[in-house]
């Protein structure tokens, strides 16, 4: 029983990690799209 609980907790943790990474990538894609091209809403400055 304890092994099943530990396995389930590990699976939930792995799923949360994958979702967090994919969300971070989506945010990076949106940032890139918003700051590049003729329709850019903002242009970052290099310092």
């Amino acid at each position: 029983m304890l092994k099943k609980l530990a396995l389930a907790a590990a699976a939930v943790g792995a799923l949360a990690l994958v979702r967090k990474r994919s969300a971070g990538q989506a945010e990076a894609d949106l940032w890139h799209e918003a700051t590049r091209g003729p329709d850019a809403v903002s242009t970052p400055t290099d310092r």
Side-chain angles (χ1 to χ4, degrees):
M1 179 72 173
L2 189 58
K3 287 183 182 182
K4 287 182 182 180
L5 286 175
L7 183 60
V12 169
L15 180 61
L17 181 64
V18 168
R19 289 184 59 137
K20 185 176 180 179
R21 283 188 179 180
S22 64
Q25 182 61 43
E27 185 176 334
D29 290 343
L30 287 173
W31 175 257
H32 181 75
E33 183 179 331
T35 58
R36 302 290 188 271
D39 296 329
V41 295
S42 172
T43 50
T45 58
D46 293 327
R47 292 183 186 196

Coordinates of all heavy atoms in Angstrom, one line a residue:
M1 N 0.8 -1.2 0.0 CA 0.0 0.0 0.0 C 0.9 1.3 0.0 O 0.6 2.2 -0.7 CB -0.9 0.0 1.2 CG -1.8 1.1 1.4 SD -3.1 1.1 0.1 CE -4.1 2.4 0.6
L2 N 1.9 1.3 0.8 CA 2.8 2.4 0.9 C 3.5 2.6 -0.4 O 3.7 3.8 -0.8 CB 3.8 2.3 2.1 CG 4.6 3.5 2.5 CD1 3.7 4.7 2.8 CD2 5.5 3.2 3.6
K3 N 3.9 1.5 -1.0 CA 4.6 1.7 -2.3 C 3.7 2.3 -3.4 O 4.2 3.1 -4.2 CB 5.1 0.3 -2.8 CG 6.3 -0.2 -2.0 CD 6.8 -1.6 -2.5 CE 7.9 -2.1 -1.7 NZ 8.4 -3.4 -2.3
K4 N 2.5 1.9 -3.4 CA 1.5 2.5 -4.3 C 1.4 4.0 -4.1 O 1.3 4.8 -5.1 CB 0.2 1.8 -4.3 CG 0.2 0.4 -4.8 CD -1.2 -0.2 -4.8 CE -1.2 -1.7 -5.3 NZ -2.5 -2.3 -5.2
L5 N 1.3 4.4 -2.9 CA 1.2 5.8 -2.6 C 2.4 6.6 -3.0 O 2.3 7.7 -3.5 CB 0.9 6.0 -1.1 CG -0.5 5.7 -0.6 CD1 -0.5 5.8 1.0 CD2 -1.5 6.6 -1.2
A6 N 3.6 6.0 -2.8 CA 4.8 6.6 -3.2 C 4.9 6.8 -4.7 O 5.3 7.8 -5.2 CB 6.0 5.9 -2.6
L7 N 4.5 5.7 -5.4 CA 4.5 5.7 -6.8 C 3.5 6.8 -7.4 O 3.9 7.5 -8.3 CB 4.1 4.3 -7.4 CG 4.2 4.2 -8.9 CD1 5.6 4.4 -9.4 CD2 3.7 2.8 -9.3
A8 N 2.4 6.9 -6.8 CA 1.4 7.8 -7.2 C 1.9 9.3 -6.9 O 1.7 10.2 -7.8 CB 0.1 7.6 -6.5
A9 N 2.6 9.5 -5.8 CA 3.1 10.8 -5.5 C 4.2 11.2 -6.5 O 4.3 12.3 -7.0 CB 3.7 10.8 -4.1
A10 N 5.0 10.2 -6.9 CA 6.1 10.4 -7.8 C 5.5 10.8 -9.2 O 6.0 11.7 -9.9 CB 7.0 9.2 -7.9
A11 N 4.4 10.1 -9.6 CA 3.8 10.3 -10.9 C 3.2 11.7 -10.9 O 3.3 12.5 -11.9 CB 2.7 9.3 -11.2
V12 N 2.6 12.1 -9.8 CA 2.0 13.5 -9.8 C 3.1 14.5 -9.8 O 2.9 15.6 -10.5 CB 1.1 13.6 -8.5 CG1 0.7 15.1 -8.2 CG2 -0.1 12.8 -8.6
G13 N 4.2 14.3 -9.1 CA 5.3 15.3 -9.2 C 5.9 15.4 -10.6 O 6.2 16.5 -11.0
A14 N 6.0 14.3 -11.3 CA 6.6 14.3 -12.6 C 5.6 15.0 -13.6 O 6.1 15.8 -14.4 CB 6.8 12.9 -13.1
L15 N 4.3 14.8 -13.4 CA 3.3 15.5 -14.3 C 3.4 17.0 -14.0 O 3.3 17.7 -15.0 CB 1.9 14.9 -14.0 CG 0.8 15.5 -14.8 CD1 1.0 15.3 -16.3 CD2 -0.5 14.9 -14.4
A16 N 3.5 17.4 -12.8 CA 3.5 18.8 -12.4 C 4.8 19.4 -13.1 O 4.7 20.6 -13.6 CB 3.5 19.0 -10.9
L17 N 5.9 18.7 -13.0 CA 7.1 19.3 -13.6 C 7.0 19.4 -15.1 O 7.4 20.5 -15.6 CB 8.3 18.3 -13.3 CG 9.7 18.7 -13.8 CD1 10.1 20.1 -13.1 CD2 10.7 17.7 -13.5
V18 N 6.4 18.5 -15.8 CA 6.3 18.6 -17.2 C 5.3 19.7 -17.6 O 5.6 20.5 -18.5 CB 5.7 17.2 -17.8 CG1 5.3 17.4 -19.2 CG2 6.8 16.1 -17.7
R19 N 4.2 19.9 -16.8 CA 3.3 20.9 -17.1 C 4.0 22.3 -16.9 O 3.7 23.2 -17.6 CB 2.1 20.8 -16.3 CG 1.2 19.6 -16.7 CD -0.1 19.6 -15.9 NE -0.8 20.8 -16.1 CZ -2.1 20.9 -16.2 NH1 -2.8 19.8 -16.2 NH2 -2.7 22.1 -16.4
K20 N 4.8 22.4 -15.8 CA 5.4 23.7 -15.6 C 6.4 24.0 -16.7 O 6.5 25.2 -17.1 CB 6.2 23.6 -14.2 CG 6.8 24.9 -13.8 CD 7.4 24.8 -12.4 CE 8.0 26.1 -12.0 NZ 8.6 26.0 -10.6
R21 N 7.2 23.1 -17.1 CA 8.1 23.3 -18.2 C 7.4 23.7 -19.5 O 7.8 24.6 -20.2 CB 9.0 22.1 -18.5 CG 10.1 21.9 -17.5 CD 11.0 20.8 -17.9 NE 12.0 20.6 -16.9 CZ 13.0 19.7 -17.0 NH1 13.0 18.9 -18.1 NH2 13.9 19.6 -16.1
S22 N 6.3 23.0 -19.8 CA 5.6 23.4 -21.1 C 5.0 24.8 -21.0 O 4.9 25.5 -21.9 CB 4.6 22.3 -21.4 OG 3.6 22.2 -20.5
A23 N 4.5 25.1 -19.8 CA 3.9 26.5 -19.6 C 5.0 27.5 -19.7 O 4.8 28.6 -20.3 CB 3.3 26.6 -18.2
G24 N 6.2 27.3 -19.2 CA 7.3 28.2 -19.4 C 7.7 28.4 -20.8 O 8.0 29.5 -21.3
Q25 N 7.7 27.3 -21.6 CA 8.0 27.4 -23.0 C 6.9 28.2 -23.7 O 7.3 29.0 -24.6 CB 8.1 26.0 -23.6 CG 8.5 26.0 -25.1 CD 9.9 26.7 -25.3 OE1 10.8 26.4 -24.6 NE2 10.0 27.5 -26.3
A26 N 5.7 28.0 -23.4 CA 4.6 28.7 -24.1 C 4.7 30.2 -23.8 O 4.5 31.1 -24.7 CB 3.3 28.2 -23.6
E27 N 5.1 30.6 -22.5 CA 5.3 32.0 -22.2 C 6.5 32.6 -23.0 O 6.4 33.7 -23.4 CB 5.6 32.1 -20.7 CG 5.6 33.5 -20.2 CD 5.8 33.6 -18.7 OE1 5.4 32.7 -18.0 OE2 6.4 34.6 -18.3
A28 N 7.5 31.8 -23.1 CA 8.7 32.3 -23.9 C 8.3 32.5 -25.4 O 8.7 33.5 -26.0 CB 9.8 31.3 -23.8
D29 N 7.5 31.6 -25.9 CA 7.0 31.8 -27.3 C 6.2 33.0 -27.4 O 6.3 33.8 -28.4 CB 6.2 30.6 -27.7 CG 7.1 29.3 -27.9 OD1 8.3 29.5 -28.0 OD2 6.5 28.2 -28.0
L30 N 5.3 33.3 -26.5 CA 4.4 34.5 -26.5 C 5.3 35.8 -26.4 O 5.0 36.7 -27.1 CB 3.4 34.5 -25.4 CG 2.2 33.5 -25.6 CD1 1.4 33.4 -24.4 CD2 1.4 33.8 -26.8
W31 N 6.3 35.7 -25.6 CA 7.1 36.9 -25.4 C 7.9 37.2 -26.7 O 8.0 38.3 -27.1 CB 8.1 36.7 -24.3 CG 9.1 37.8 -24.1 CD1 10.4 37.8 -24.5 CD2 8.9 39.1 -23.6 NE1 11.0 39.0 -24.3 CE2 10.1 39.8 -23.7 CE3 7.8 39.7 -23.0 CZ2 10.2 41.1 -23.2 CZ3 7.9 41.0 -22.6 CH2 9.2 41.7 -22.7
H32 N 8.4 36.1 -27.3 CA 9.1 36.3 -28.6 C 8.2 36.9 -29.7 O 8.6 37.8 -30.4 CB 9.7 34.9 -29.0 CG 10.4 35.0 -30.3 ND1 11.7 35.5 -30.4 CD2 10.1 34.7 -31.6 CE1 12.1 35.5 -31.6 NE2 11.2 35.0 -32.4
E33 N 7.0 36.4 -29.7 CA 6.0 36.9 -30.7 C 5.6 38.3 -30.5 O 5.5 39.1 -31.4 CB 4.8 36.0 -30.7 CG 3.7 36.4 -31.7 CD 2.5 35.4 -31.6 OE1 2.7 34.3 -31.3 OE2 1.4 35.9 -32.0
A34 N 5.5 38.7 -29.2 CA 5.1 40.1 -28.8 C 6.2 41.1 -29.0 O 5.9 42.3 -29.2 CB 4.6 40.1 -27.4
T35 N 7.4 40.7 -29.0 CA 8.5 41.6 -29.1 C 9.3 41.6 -30.4 O 10.3 42.3 -30.6 CB 9.5 41.4 -27.9 OG1 10.0 40.0 -28.1 CG2 8.9 41.6 -26.6
R36 N 8.8 40.9 -31.4 CA 9.4 40.8 -32.7 C 8.5 41.1 -33.8 O 7.3 40.9 -33.7 CB 10.0 39.4 -32.9 CG 11.0 38.9 -31.9 CD 12.3 39.7 -32.0 NE 13.3 39.1 -31.1 CZ 13.5 39.4 -29.8 NH1 12.8 40.3 -29.3 NH2 14.5 38.9 -29.1
G37 N 9.0 41.6 -34.9 CA 8.2 41.9 -36.1 C 7.5 43.2 -36.1 O 7.6 44.0 -35.2
P38 N 6.8 43.5 -37.2 CA 6.2 44.8 -37.4 C 5.1 45.1 -36.5 O 4.7 46.3 -36.3 CB 5.8 44.8 -38.9 CG 5.6 43.3 -39.2 CD 6.6 42.6 -38.4
D39 N 4.4 44.1 -36.0 CA 3.3 44.3 -35.1 C 3.7 44.2 -33.6 O 2.8 44.0 -32.7 CB 2.2 43.3 -35.4 CG 1.6 43.5 -36.8 OD1 1.6 44.6 -37.2 OD2 1.2 42.5 -37.4
A40 N 4.9 44.4 -33.3 CA 5.4 44.2 -31.9 C 4.8 45.2 -31.0 O 4.7 46.4 -31.4 CB 6.9 44.3 -31.9
V41 N 4.4 44.8 -29.8 CA 3.8 45.7 -28.9 C 4.9 46.3 -28.0 O 4.7 47.3 -27.3 CB 2.8 45.0 -27.9 CG1 1.6 44.6 -28.8 CG2 3.4 43.9 -27.2
S42 N 6.1 45.7 -28.0 CA 7.2 46.2 -27.2 C 8.5 45.7 -27.8 O 8.5 44.6 -28.3 CB 7.0 45.6 -25.7 OG 8.2 45.9 -25.0
T43 N 9.5 46.5 -27.6 CA 10.8 46.1 -28.1 C 11.8 46.2 -27.0 O 12.0 47.3 -26.5 CB 11.3 46.9 -29.3 OG1 11.2 48.3 -29.0 CG2 10.5 46.6 -30.6
P44 N 12.4 45.0 -26.5 CA 13.3 45.1 -25.5 C 14.6 45.8 -25.9 O 15.0 45.8 -27.1 CB 13.6 43.6 -25.1 CG 13.2 42.9 -26.4 CD 12.2 43.7 -27.1
T45 N 15.3 46.4 -25.0 CA 16.5 47.1 -25.3 C 17.7 46.3 -24.7 O 17.6 45.7 -23.6 CB 16.6 48.5 -24.7 OG1 16.4 48.4 -23.3 CG2 15.5 49.4 -25.3
D46 N 18.7 46.2 -25.5 CA 20.0 45.5 -25.0 C 20.8 46.5 -24.2 O 21.1 47.6 -24.7 CB 20.8 44.9 -26.2 CG 20.0 43.8 -26.9 OD1 19.3 43.1 -26.2 OD2 20.1 43.7 -28.2
R47 N 21.3 46.1 -23.1 CA 22.1 46.9 -22.3 C 23.5 46.3 -22.1 O 23.7 45.3 -22.1 CB 21.5 47.1 -20.9 CG 20.2 47.9 -21.0 CD 19.7 48.1 -19.6 NE 18.4 48.7 -19.7 CZ 17.8 49.3 -18.7 NH1 18.4 49.4 -17.5 NH2 16.7 49.9 -18.8

